[in-house]
Amino acid sequence: MKHIGYFVSFLIVYLFYFPFKVLPYKWCLAYGIFLTKLIYPLDKKHRKVAADNIRFAFPAYTEEQIQNLVKAHYRHLGILLAHTLWAPRMTRKWLNENLVIDSESLQIEEETKKQGVGVILISGHFGTWEILVQFLGIRMKGGGIYKKVRNPFVDQLLRRMRSKNGVVLVPVQESTQVIKLLKQGYWIGFGADQNAGKAGIFVPFMNRQASTFVGPALMAYLTGAKMLYYSVLAGEGGKVIVRVKDLGFVDKKLYPSKDDVIRHYTELWTKTLEEEVKLFPEQYFWVHRRWRTQPQAIENNQ
């Protein structure tokens, strides 16, 4: 019976996905925005989550500014939805026509490629991150961390979509494979800004302490891979804007202990993400509970 339920759920997901599989790109964007316009008045729960998060992040904002940002964010969610479901159709030709990358970012990217080193490509739930997955497959020898979905039919569909352009997907629990790929010169994407609960360390992010995964910094520490921060943003007219920051290699002599070094680089990439969010606030994923775990709550449970 469980498999029948999974299959029925898969059919619903596939029917939802199908228009994005066949419609022209610009139509997909318009359809995604249309869907989130329908959802916006009904989704009081996530609108409240977004507004509460924005109040902490931007304490000087008026209530009108907060609500306007929530509305702008929902419009962005429509673009994100369209990009997520359309992204497997991306080609090198499309990317060459629609990619907007500044000269400094391009120089960082090209110099890193010449170095031939493994790269920890750090991003967040910011901009249009599923476009980044396909971007990695087309422009680099790319890989990504993949968390398995419980429904096996949906899981297979998502894995097929994400690996369409050659990205190697690594299950989240197989860290040894990540190390092996990095040593072979792969660029491995990490979207590490989700709430890490008790598994993370607390670092400041948008005016609050945020429990943060140390995976990117730890992998850089263990493998000697270079760390690059990427923002992949939704631009006007369906363009994709790429901004790159060079975070360098881990300096193990920076602090006396491994934990201190990893904390430093975790704070570094989190601060870089924060600076980008302040520039493009509507494109951060405000509807997720990034700050759900707080230090006091953990102390009380110990």
Side-chain angles (χ1 to χ4, degrees), residues 179 201 214-215 217-223 250-266:
I179 292 172
I201 62 171
V214 299
L218 177 60
M219 285 296 168
Y221 183 96
L222 294 174
T223 65
V250 166
D251 181 358
K252 295 184 178 181
K253 298 178 181 178
L254 189 63
Y255 292 102
S257 76
K258 171 184 169 183
D259 288 346
D260 287 338
V261 173
I262 289 172
R263 171 173 288 279
H264 168 79
Y265 286 101
T266 301

Side-chain angles (χ1 to χ4, degrees), residues 59-78:
Y61 274 22
T62 65
E63 192 60 30
E64 182 180 6
Q65 287 175 307
I66 290 167
Q67 295 305 323
N68 286 340
L69 182 50
V70 172
K71 288 179 182 178
H73 176 56
Y74 266 76
R75 184 183 187 279
H76 171 71
L77 290 179

Side-chain angles (χ1 to χ4, degrees), residues 116-241:
V117 296
V119 174
I120 306 286
L121 192 156
I122 305 170
S123 190
H125 289 76
F126 175 60
T128 177
W129 59 84
E130 288 292 340
I131 289 286
L132 176 57
V133 175
Q134 306 302 329
F135 174 94
L136 262 173
I138 291 173
R139 289 173 61 86
M140 293 89 175
K141 188 165 73 170
I145 310 300
Y146 177 70
K147 186 175 182 179
K148 191 173 182 179
V149 176
R150 183 177 300 175
N151 186 319
F153 302 107
V154 175
D155 182 71
Q156 186 178 15
L157 175 65
L158 291 175
R159 281 191 287 113
R160 190 166 63 246
M161 289 168 60
R162 287 174 173 165
S163 60
K164 190 76 173 181
N165 279 299
V167 168
V168 176
L169 295 176
V170 182
V172 68
Q173 62 270 29
E174 294 185 15
S175 58
T176 54
Q177 189 177 346
V178 175
I179 292 172
K180 186 184 297 184
L181 290 172
L182 286 169
K183 290 185 175 180
Q184 292 173 0
Y186 274 79
W187 294 45
I188 306 295
F190 287 78
D193 70 324
Q194 290 177 301
N195 177 54
K198 293 182 179 180
I201 62 171
F202 286 100
V203 301
F205 178 56
M206 303 302 293
N207 296 321
R208 276 189 283 178
Q209 291 294 309
S211 179
T212 305
F213 289 108
V214 299
L218 177 60
M219 285 296 168
Y221 183 96
L222 294 174
T223 65
K226 188 174 186 179
M227 289 176 290
L228 298 182
Y229 173 82
Y230 269 69
S231 289
V232 178
L233 302 157
E236 293 295 325
K239 299 291 185 181
V240 174
I241 302 167

